[in-house]
Amino acid sequence: MSSARRVWGFVAALAWFDVALDVTLSATDNYSHAEIAAHAYGNNPTGAAGALPRVIDTLSYFTVWSNVVVALAFTLLALQARRAAATSGERPTGDRFSRLARVLLLDALVMITVTAIVYQVVLAPDANPTGVAVVTNFLEHQAVPVLSVLAWLVVGPRRAFDRRTFSLFLVVPVVWVVYMLARGAIIDAYPYPFVNVSTNGYASVAVALCAILAFGLALAALYTGLDKVLSRRR
């Protein structure tokens, strides 16, 4: 196995482990029961009765979506590189990977970077993880973001991002926004304070989401530009 496939496989495995651990701990009710803010996720029954609602809440966080996209993207990179090596014996450049793999890779880099930065700047000051939450919090907001970006910077793939990839990367974040707001309107609960429509109103939430999406576009442009620079150097 090439060094690149090892790196991609390791990042994918870590992200899958992180998501699986988070879902398992939620399903088995092994997170501490802290006070739940008004109209926020987490107001579910304890024990087996609340297992499904807790898991759905967990899978509805942007943080978890970001980690799932990282897991999918790096899994596809490793699998497609392995297939290419088996047929041609060569390590493929970025433009030889499938469109899906390239779009998910750009999504992964942008979404996991947004996750890390928003957590550190907005959420971390009020966060107080205890017990097993310390582990999942570290994996989701620090380990996976840092290792994902480092893996791409060191081993690529290069020449992965073009205009078509750039034009498609917003699909996943926008789907999350629509899903999160629609679900929130039904259950009257939201994942983060700054998207809590019940307390902030749609206008304030729209401003916050547009700012984050604009930041995501800037990050996508940055990663696309870096891809071109690193491709020329190589």
Side-chain angles (χ1 to χ4, degrees):
M1 179 186 290
S2 71
S3 58
R5 294 210 311 277
R6 288 192 186 96
V7 172
W8 296 331
F10 174 77
V11 173
L14 183 65
W16 284 124
F17 171 77
D18 155 30
V19 172
L21 178 62
D22 204 2
V23 169
T24 301
L25 293 173
S26 295
T28 55
D29 203 10
N30 275 306
Y31 280 122
S32 60
H33 295 284
E35 183 178 354
I36 305 300
H39 312 289
Y41 287 176
N43 189 19
N44 299 308
T46 59
L52 182 58
R54 287 193 303 271
V55 168
I56 295 174
D57 276 357
T58 295
L59 293 175
S60 298
Y61 282 100
F62 185 83
T63 295
V64 176
W65 274 53
S66 301
N67 280 264
V68 169
V69 172
V70 167
L72 288 171
F74 282 87
T75 297
L76 279 178
L77 291 180
L79 290 176
Q80 291 182 15
R82 181 180 181 180
R83 189 179 305 120
T87 56
S88 66
E90 297 180 358
R91 172 181 164 184
T93 56
D95 53 6
R96 299 295 298 275
F97 287 94
S98 70
R99 178 68 64 186
L100 176 62
R102 287 184 278 159
V103 171
L104 285 177
L105 177 59
L106 186 55
D107 269 322
L109 293 173
V110 171
M111 291 173 67
I112 206 67
T113 302
V114 169
T115 290
I117 293 175
V118 170
Y119 176 77
Q120 293 299 328
V121 174
V122 180
L123 302 174
D126 296 322
N128 186 29
T130 59
V132 290
V134 174
V135 177
T136 54
N137 188 71
F138 170 73
L139 290 174
E140 290 173 343
H141 298 109
Q142 297 174 2
V144 171
V146 170
L147 291 175
S148 301
V149 175
L150 279 178
W152 176 75
L153 287 172
V154 174
V155 301
R158 303 280 82 91
R159 300 202 299 275
F161 308 142
D162 54 19
R163 290 181 181 178
R164 178 71 171 160
T165 301
F166 185 86
S167 68
L168 291 171
F169 97 94
L170 270 180
V171 171
V172 174
V174 169
V175 167
W176 176 81
V177 168
V178 173
Y179 162 76
M180 179 271 298
L181 291 176
R183 182 171 184 255
I186 295 171
I187 68 172
D188 193 24
Y190 299 86
Y192 307 109
F194 57 88
V195 295
N196 194 322
V197 173
S198 297
T199 58
N200 300 325
Y202 277 103
S204 177
V205 169
V207 170
L209 289 173
C210 285
I212 294 173
L213 288 174
F215 181 53
L217 280 169
L219 284 173
L222 173 63
Y223 283 124
T224 300
L226 277 174
D227 182 39
K228 292 180 180 178
V229 171
L230 293 172
S231 299
R232 286 197 296 268
R233 288 184 178 180
R234 178 156 296 189

